[in-house]
Amino acid sequence: MTFSLTDNQNRKITVMHLITSLEVGGAQHGLLLGLPRFNSEKYEHIVCSLMDRMQMADQFQRAGIEVHSLGLQTKMDFSVAIRLRSLLKEVRPDILHTYLLHSNVLGRIVGRLTGVPQIIGSERTIGQARFWGRLLTRLTNPLTDAVEVNSLTGAIAIENNLGIPREKIELVRSGVNIDEYSKPTKRTEVRNELDLSEDQHLVLYVGRLRSVKGVEFGIRSFALVNEKRPNSYMVLAGEGEQLSYLQALVHDLGIKNHVNFVGVRNDLPDLLVAADSVLMPSLNEGFPRTAIEAMAAGKPLVATSVGGTPEAIIDGVTGILVPVKDIHAMAKAVISLVDDVSLQKRLGSAGAKLARENYSINKYVNRLDELYCRLSGIDEPTFSNPTIE
């Protein structure tokens, strides 16, 4: 479905972004970084969270983005559909852009019933949805005008596994502020805060502390590293339901004095510049935002070869890929970085170059701008949709 604003070219395109929560996460960070960079004379962006988990709400509001919460607290609160319908009728968006499973399904149904002209879904995970999630996604696919993915791997997966027609799939690669990650200068200050000397190798994990992220295997691999290289240290930045379990694991492995859980940090560029390597032990991934942030900061990565990760990290060029759950291979890779500073620099430099060329925030905004304009029928497309092989 398309509509035209040619009779009122001065009217802004209103885009409502419906997301499951405004907790700290990759999709949320991408929106926070990208939305303020759109042409404010052309667009009005509104962010709506299904759940009343609003950690990042203040950051969006400070960036000039209107924020709403539908206050969902339990899966059985079906009245959330009524609240969403009321908000859509009030806002009357031209485009409803939904993110993550619950928002995708609810937004498609309520959006169509409310008469939203254009609906864009967003699939950021690969193989993580359970049976009912996959079924509901398949049933509501026809209600979308487009489905956004951030990797070719994801595009192929949703076509094969979720039955989304190829012609509806739009590849929009994630973007980061390259300058923000490539120019921080607080390495010494952050390492002093962590009580680390310059000759200690800091391994950094950034992400949620949940089972799918494989943090347990990352910690077990680090225990092997620390046994052989006592000058190593690990920092985990993030929060999640596994926190207590992982803290107990660190204690049981006898590495309590070499591991620090620092919680959610708002200074990721500075934390990355303080690190010497980045560990990504995920059991499954869509397209890992942490990978392009680490590459932008010039840091070498050790990551499991799952989902869209091999698309982000080139093995032996920008990082080292290892089999999932293989703590010995993971430890061997980290030790190779501990022992070889020139390897660290070579992988880090190649990653920084790749990030600059492919993952700038301007490319992300331009690609979404092109998609919104094309669906709205107000401009000729500026960029072609990347081919899905």
Side-chain angles (χ1 to χ4, degrees):
M1 180 188 299
T2 60
F3 71 102
S4 176
L5 298 181
T6 53
D7 293 333
N8 188 6
Q9 289 288 352
N10 293 324
R11 185 167 76 84
K12 292 183 180 181
I13 301 174
T14 300
V15 185
M16 179 183 285
H17 302 267
L18 181 67
I19 194 164
T20 302
S21 78
L22 285 182
E23 296 175 292
V24 176
Q28 293 85 345
H29 274 297
L31 287 174
L32 180 62
L33 186 62
L35 297 188
R37 287 174 164 78
F38 278 81
N39 184 344
S40 61
E41 296 181 357
K42 182 177 179 181
Y43 288 99
E44 179 181 6
H45 291 283
I46 297 168
V47 172
C48 179
S49 169
L50 285 185
M51 306 179 75
D52 200 20
R53 298 179 183 176
M54 305 287 285
Q55 289 174 317
M56 295 181 66
D58 288 347
Q59 292 172 266
F60 279 94
Q61 289 169 337
R62 287 196 297 271
I65 306 298
E66 183 179 332
V67 175
H68 295 266
S69 169
L70 298 178
L72 179 67
Q73 295 186 0
T74 69
K75 292 180 180 179
M76 302 306 292
D77 181 9
F78 298 113
S79 63
V80 69
I82 298 173
R83 296 193 292 275
L84 176 57
R85 178 177 180 272
S86 176
L87 182 60
L88 288 173
K89 282 187 168 293
E90 176 187 339
V91 172
R92 297 180 64 200
D94 302 301
I95 298 170
L96 176 63
H97 196 156
T98 65
Y99 305 81
L100 309 178
L101 175 62
H102 298 89
S103 294
N104 278 338
V105 173
L106 185 64
R108 291 167 180 179
I109 296 171
V110 178
R112 278 292 172 244
L113 291 174
T114 312
V116 176
Q118 299 291 321
I119 297 177
I120 303 172
S122 181
E123 294 289 346
R124 302 299 180 89
T125 60
I126 299 175
Q128 293 184 31
R130 297 179 180 178
F131 172 79
W132 286 109
R134 293 195 301 272
L135 178 61
L136 289 171
T137 298
R138 282 181 171 271
L139 291 174
T140 57
N141 280 342
L143 303 179
T144 62
D145 297 283
V147 178
E148 174 211 354
V149 294
N150 55 8
S151 69
L152 285 172
T153 307
I156 295 167
I158 66 171
E159 181 183 8
N160 293 338
N161 302 331
L162 299 178
I164 297 174
R166 180 175 297 198
E167 60 270 18
K168 279 191 176 183
I169 300 174
E170 299 283 348
L171 177 58
V172 182
R173 297 191 187 280
S174 299
V176 299
N177 185 341
I178 301 298
D179 288 344
E180 182 182 16
Y181 284 89
S182 63
K183 298 180 179 179
T185 58
K186 295 185 178 179
R187 177 178 173 88
T188 301
E189 291 91 328
V190 174
R191 291 179 74 93
N192 286 342
E193 172 198 336
L194 297 169
D195 197 24
L196 293 176
S197 61
E198 192 55 41
D199 63 351
Q200 289 178 279
H201 185 100
L202 173 55
V203 180
L204 177 64
Y205 167 83
V206 178
R208 293 188 180 178
L209 306 179
R210 51 189 308 195
S211 59
V212 74
K213 293 298 185 180
V215 191
E216 171 185 349
F217 300 96
I219 289 173
R220 291 186 184 279
S221 75
F222 176 75
L224 299 177
V225 172
N226 191 248
E227 180 182 354
K228 296 181 178 180
R229 301 294 186 272
N231 65 322
S232 58
Y233 194 85
M234 185 176 192
V235 164
L236 298 99
E239 61 181 21
E241 61 270 17
Q242 279 200 313
L243 176 60
S244 297
Y245 169 72
L246 296 172
Q247 289 175 326
L249 176 64
V250 165
H251 183 272
D252 293 343
L253 291 172
I255 53 175
K256 182 175 62 173
N257 294 330
H258 296 267
V259 177
N260 191 348
F261 293 85
V262 297
V264 174
R265 300 278 295 221
N266 294 320
D267 60 343
L268 183 55
D270 294 325
L271 197 58
L272 279 165
V273 79
D276 300 297
S277 62
V278 176
L279 182 61
M280 294 177 49
S282 298
L283 308 186
N284 206 331
E285 276 290 350
F287 186 85
R289 185 175 185 83
T290 296
I292 59 175
E293 290 170 336
M295 289 191 297
K299 299 300 172 179
L301 294 119
V302 173
T304 48
S305 184
V306 295
T309 299
E311 189 176 330
I313 301 170
I314 303 174
D315 188 31
V317 177
T318 64
I320 303 172
L321 297 178
V322 298
V324 68
K325 296 185 181 180
D326 190 336
I327 63 174
H328 295 283
M330 214 178 295
K332 181 180 178 181
V334 173
I335 287 173
S336 71
L337 293 173
V338 175
D339 291 347
D340 191 343
V341 175
S342 65
L343 178 62
Q344 291 178 38
K345 291 181 178 179
R346 176 169 64 81
L347 298 180
S349 296
K353 182 175 183 291
L354 187 69
R356 284 195 304 271
E357 292 174 351
N358 295 288
Y359 301 112
S360 73
I361 189 58
N362 287 338
K363 287 189 176 183
Y364 167 78
V365 170
N366 286 341
R367 180 69 180 92
L368 271 185
D369 178 30
E370 180 271 326
L371 175 59
Y372 292 158
C373 288
R374 174 158 45 85
L375 289 178
S376 301
I378 65 171
D379 277 327
E380 289 297 319
T382 304
F383 303 94
S384 60
N385 188 28
T387 301
I388 300 170
E389 299 293 346

